Amino acid sequence: MRFALGIDYEGTHYRGWQTQQEGVPSIQSTIEDVLSRIADHPVIIHAAGRTDAGVHASGMVAHFDTHAIRGHKSWLLGSNTWLPKDIALRWIHPVSEDFHARFKAVARRYRYIIFNSGQRSSQLAGKVTWHYHPLNFERMKIAASYLVGQHNFNSFRAVGCQSRNPNRHVHFLNLTKRGSLIILDIQADGFLHHMVRNIAGVLMAIGEGKAEPEWVQELLRVQDRTQGGVTASGSGLYFVDALYPPEFELPKEPLGPLWLVD
């Protein structure tokens, strides 16, 4: 059988989603070890995305195959009993064999959360990116609007990004403000390595007054990463959703992070 999983995790103490060399903690290997214990055979999971070191998720979707017969509670409650406190399975759902968490996803969604305050917060440590210089929210919103649509995002991807195609379609990039928190909410048909973090870095530079909002248009035109801004910290980034065709009938939960949900 094939099962889809909904996963949330706090990525501060992991080297990212993908399994690393032995002894290096990753989200994937931690979950695989627990599922393998419950299934009593080796389990490999495939995810909708691969988050970097220190990046979080509130709505990661993955899938795995098994010949083990276990009840719903055994998979879900059993896994959460063995998993560390900073990783949790939110749901498990049987799917057809043509489902694939990565290749069947039609869109992915991230949120980047900035704590804009003159003083840091111990309670938000690791959960947000702290930016102590005042940010002009309206300037950031204008700049963000230029990124919506189909563009070449060479200026917004990591130098080592291995994707052959730099073109992505950003469905929306909304900015909202809650007190000292600025939330970037972005959905696209796919993302390049460090794309969201580089976008956040550019928007913060514009919000701080280091560049005009039209700088975004220039970066899209030159298609050169060396002309872009600093890559923002991974601590404020959350993978919040993966979208699939409706025939798979996957469970839907409120978009996270959960501590931010009303």
Side-chain angles (χ1 to χ4, degrees):
M1 293 185 65
R2 178 163 293 182
F3 289 95
L5 299 169
I7 308 167
D8 72 28
Y9 52 86
E10 213 277 1
T12 301
H13 302 296
Y14 299 89
R15 293 289 295 172
W17 168 269
Q18 192 171 8
T19 297
Q20 311 285 327
Q21 63 266 32
E22 187 175 352
V24 178
S26 72
I27 306 296
Q28 180 183 5
S29 62
T30 302
I31 298 174
E32 285 178 346
D33 289 346
V34 169
L35 290 175
S36 297
R37 180 184 300 187
I38 295 172
D40 200 26
H41 67 75
V43 168
I44 298 175
I45 58 176
H46 306 270
R50 297 176 179 176
T51 54
D52 291 331
V55 175
H56 319 299
S58 61
M60 180 61 74
V61 177
H63 80 266
F64 71 97
D65 293 327
T66 181
H67 54 73
I69 306 301
R70 303 287 186 270
H72 181 271
K73 287 186 177 180
S74 295
W75 287 118
L76 192 60
L77 300 182
S79 295
N80 283 329
T81 297
W82 290 104
L83 284 169
K85 292 182 179 180
D86 50 8
I87 303 176
L89 302 190
R90 299 289 302 174
W91 52 261
I92 184 168
H93 185 73
V95 289
S96 58
E97 290 188 0
D98 62 337
F99 176 83
H100 194 286
R102 178 183 176 190
F103 298 121
K104 289 295 185 178
V106 297
R108 294 163 178 84
R109 187 170 176 177
Y110 285 86
R111 283 179 172 172
Y112 194 91
I113 303 175
I114 303 163
F115 178 53
N116 189 206
S117 172
Q119 301 297 328
R120 65 180 179 86
S121 167
S122 62
Q123 295 182 19
L124 294 176
K127 295 180 174 66
V128 299
T129 288
W130 173 43
H131 193 88
Y132 54 87
H133 292 297
L135 294 173
N136 186 306
F137 181 67
E138 296 303 322
R139 286 169 56 91
M140 294 173 70
K141 285 181 67 175
I142 294 170
S145 68
Y146 298 135
L147 293 164
V148 177
Q150 183 85 25
H151 300 289
N152 181 309
F153 282 93
N154 260 334
S155 294
F156 294 90
R157 67 166 168 173
V159 174
C161 178
Q162 298 179 355
S163 176
R164 296 180 180 179
N165 181 10
N167 296 304
R168 294 293 185 271
H169 183 194
V170 173
H171 302 154
F172 57 78
L173 174 48
N174 299 322
L175 270 67
T176 56
K177 193 171 184 179
R178 297 189 185 182
S180 297
L181 297 178
I182 296 176
I183 302 146
L184 284 63
D185 190 354
I186 182 170
Q187 179 177 297
D189 58 358
F191 290 89
L192 302 165
H193 192 202
H194 285 176
M195 179 173 157
V196 179
R197 292 169 60 185
N198 288 332
I199 287 173
V202 166
L203 294 183
M204 283 190 283
I206 291 170
E208 194 177 328
K210 293 181 177 179
E212 295 302 313
E214 289 70 29
W215 182 37
V216 169
Q217 294 177 305
E218 177 64 14
L219 291 175
L220 291 173
R221 186 188 67 80
V222 299
Q223 301 174 15
D224 182 357
R225 173 63 196 133
T226 64
Q227 302 300 309
V230 175
T231 302
S233 167
S235 60
L237 184 58
Y238 293 78
F239 186 109
V240 298
D241 201 11
L243 284 71
Y244 296 91
E247 59 264 27
F248 293 119
E249 299 181 333
L250 298 185
K252 298 300 290 185
E253 292 194 319
L255 294 174
L258 294 179
W259 57 267
L260 194 64
V261 174
D262 292 331

